[in-house]
Amino acid sequence: MFDFNTFDDPTHGYVNYVDQATASSQGLFHVSNGQATFGVDHTNIASGRGRTSIRLTSKAQYTHALVVLDLAHMPGSICGTWPAFWMTGPNWPYSGEIDILEGVNTGSQNQITMHTSDGCSLAGSNCQGGLGCPIKPTGSNNYGTNLNNAGGGVYAMQWTSGYINVWFWPRGSIPSDVFGANPRPSTWGATTASFVGGDNCNIDQHFSNNNIVFDTTFCGDWAGSVWGQDSTCSALAGSCQDYVQNHPEAFAEAYWTVNSLKVYKSDHDAPSVNLANVQMKPIASPIDAPPVVKATTSEPAAQLTTSPPLAQVATRAPGEAYESTENGSANVSISAQEAEEGKPVLQGTLVGAAVSPAEDGAMETRSTRKVSRHLHRHVHHLHQS
């Protein structure tokens, strides 16, 4: 499940993040045909905090995982925009940050970046703080408008004790096992970006307990600070905020459409195990399944309801096939610990069904990092108290 964040943008963006009820009533969030679509206001002159948008943060936190995102559409390469799909933990930067998909303005290439505390160098760069250690993958269809024109694609991020790897495949080139019950990263060939730990960086010391985040902000510490360096954007308005405020029609393509988002855990997740060489199995997916809850032997498992209804719920134990049921609620529930021990796991396939707004006061602690306007981003972390 995800929270709809409504706090002021920690990256100083000209943006008004709204809750689920507001987003739905304004047509900015909906689920249709198994796809979750969430975007920004593109009909009104902006005011107040800025242009209305959505920021989603997963309730669950992850340490070591395989995250697979199937995108049909992401915000296009539009002046003023700063979309990102990323992970970060509490007490930044000590829990690390993994930027899987990110860019600004008219950019045509993704920038994959790691951010850590002092003492970690990856991909030949010091990952400390706001600048981090970025890799810009080659290719012309991995981000923004070009990705959308190519029919979308799939990003996969594998996080182990030894490395953090990212793959991207355009539509039509996706390995056959990526969406299966047991994806095998060791068979996927060359990575799109690879950050290998060792003496240069102890990954387990610098990355832990990360939430998954989707957001689309405007201007702010990155898109706004480089506005004048983009000849296309700077010709449109004297400032990023002026353009974003007064040209709602420009942002009709600033939306995400997610086919699926799945998170997998190793059967034997331990620092000494290379996840590429063992079978993987899905745990509760953060968008497309209800949260995992503890079931007892003496009482029925708690009923998990979704709105709109969860279209498909599946359970499996190692070696068993998935069995699907058409229900509006899920009655199967287990704990995360049970999943790691090889017991059945819960997985829903309707993206977006379990997204729910956070209640006021349910979030908890905010941690914002200060960087100069030419550095990468501020970070805001939420965790349950």
Side-chain angles (χ1 to χ4, degrees):
M1 294 179 69
F2 275 65
D3 291 325
F4 279 68
N5 305 143
T6 59
F7 47 74
D8 291 344
D9 180 27
T11 67
H12 305 116
Y14 184 64
V15 65
N16 176 40
Y17 290 130
V18 295
D19 60 24
Q20 183 179 13
T22 302
S24 297
S25 68
Q26 295 184 10
L28 305 183
F29 172 80
H30 68 273
V31 176
S32 178
N33 297 321
Q35 293 178 315
T37 297
F38 43 100
V40 309
D41 173 38
H42 56 90
T43 59
N44 301 296
I45 301 296
S47 61
R49 294 196 301 177
R51 183 155 300 284
T52 297
S53 182
I54 293 171
R55 173 169 167 148
L56 303 176
T57 299
S58 69
K59 292 181 179 293
Q61 293 182 325
Y62 304 94
T63 299
H64 295 174
L66 175 66
V67 178
V68 180
L69 172 67
D70 183 356
L71 274 179
H73 191 280
M74 70 169 291
S77 304
I78 304 167
C79 290
T81 57
W82 178 1
F85 170 66
W86 53 298
M87 298 180 69
T88 191
N91 193 26
W92 190 95
Y94 299 99
S95 297
E97 175 182 333
I98 303 171
D99 298 332
I100 302 169
L101 177 58
E102 182 178 34
V104 297
N105 296 327
T106 60
S108 60
Q109 287 185 303
N110 183 24
Q111 181 166 300
I112 302 167
T113 308
M114 304 294 117
H115 301 268
T116 68
S117 56
D118 190 22
C120 177
S121 293
L122 296 169
S125 301
N126 185 350
C127 300
Q128 182 181 6
L131 286 177
C133 40
I135 292 178
K136 279 197 171 184
T138 58
S140 60
N141 57 0
N142 56 51
Y143 176 83
T145 299
N146 289 343
L147 181 147
N148 298 333
N149 290 342
V154 170
Y155 271 95
M157 186 280 298
Q158 185 187 21
W159 167 9
T160 78
S161 293
Y163 52 81
I164 297 171
N165 286 338
V166 177
W167 289 264
F168 170 74
W169 302 282
R171 196 69 60 196
S173 301
I174 304 163
S176 59
D177 69 319
V178 165
F179 302 119
N182 294 295
R184 299 299 296 266
S186 60
T187 68
W188 292 348
T191 60
T192 302
S194 184
F195 302 86
V196 180
D199 293 340
N200 52 308
C201 181
N202 185 316
I203 287 180
D204 285 343
Q205 290 181 3
H206 289 279
F207 295 90
S208 62
N209 300 322
N210 274 209
N211 300 86
I212 298 172
V213 183
F214 286 93
D215 70 75
T216 304
T217 187
F218 304 96
C219 304
D221 296 330
W222 188 6
S225 69
V226 299
W227 180 263
Q229 300 172 31
D230 189 314
S231 59
T232 299
C233 296
S234 59
L236 297 174
S239 71
C240 182
Q241 180 170 325
D242 178 53
Y243 184 72
V244 171
Q245 178 177 13
N246 295 300
H247 295 276
E249 73 285 351
F251 303 102
E253 291 295 313
Y255 65 89
W256 301 85
T257 295
V258 177
N259 292 328
S260 65
L261 172 60
K262 297 182 179 181
V263 177
Y264 297 81
K265 199 77 171 173
S266 168
D267 284 333
H268 306 287
D269 190 13
S272 61
V273 176
N274 182 340
L275 299 190
N277 296 324
V278 299
Q279 281 196 330
M280 310 289 287
K281 68 184 180 186
I283 59 176
S285 303
I287 277 186
D288 58 7
V292 224
V293 273
K294 180 73 176 178
T296 65
T297 55
S298 58
E299 298 179 359
Q303 188 179 59
L304 305 174
T305 61
T306 62
S307 179
L310 185 66
Q312 195 174 46
V313 175
T315 60
R316 83 176 274 275
E320 295 179 353
Y322 281 100
E323 296 180 358
S324 301
T325 58
E326 297 292 332
N327 292 319
S329 62
N331 292 313
V332 181
S333 57
I334 59 167
S335 70
Q337 180 62 40
E338 287 174 323
E340 292 184 2
E341 291 172 352
K343 297 191 175 133
V345 294
L346 176 68
Q347 183 188 23
T349 58
L350 177 57
V351 180
V355 178
S356 64
E359 298 178 359
D360 290 340
M363 335 248 215
E364 314 118 358
T365 305
R366 300 181 179 182
S367 173
T368 303
R369 73 183 185 267
K370 296 180 179 179
V371 294
S372 72
R373 72 185 189 94
H374 290 292
L375 296 187
H376 186 40
R377 63 154 82 228
H378 286 70
V379 174
H380 185 103
H381 308 290
L382 304 174
H383 59 80
Q384 299 292 337
S385 58

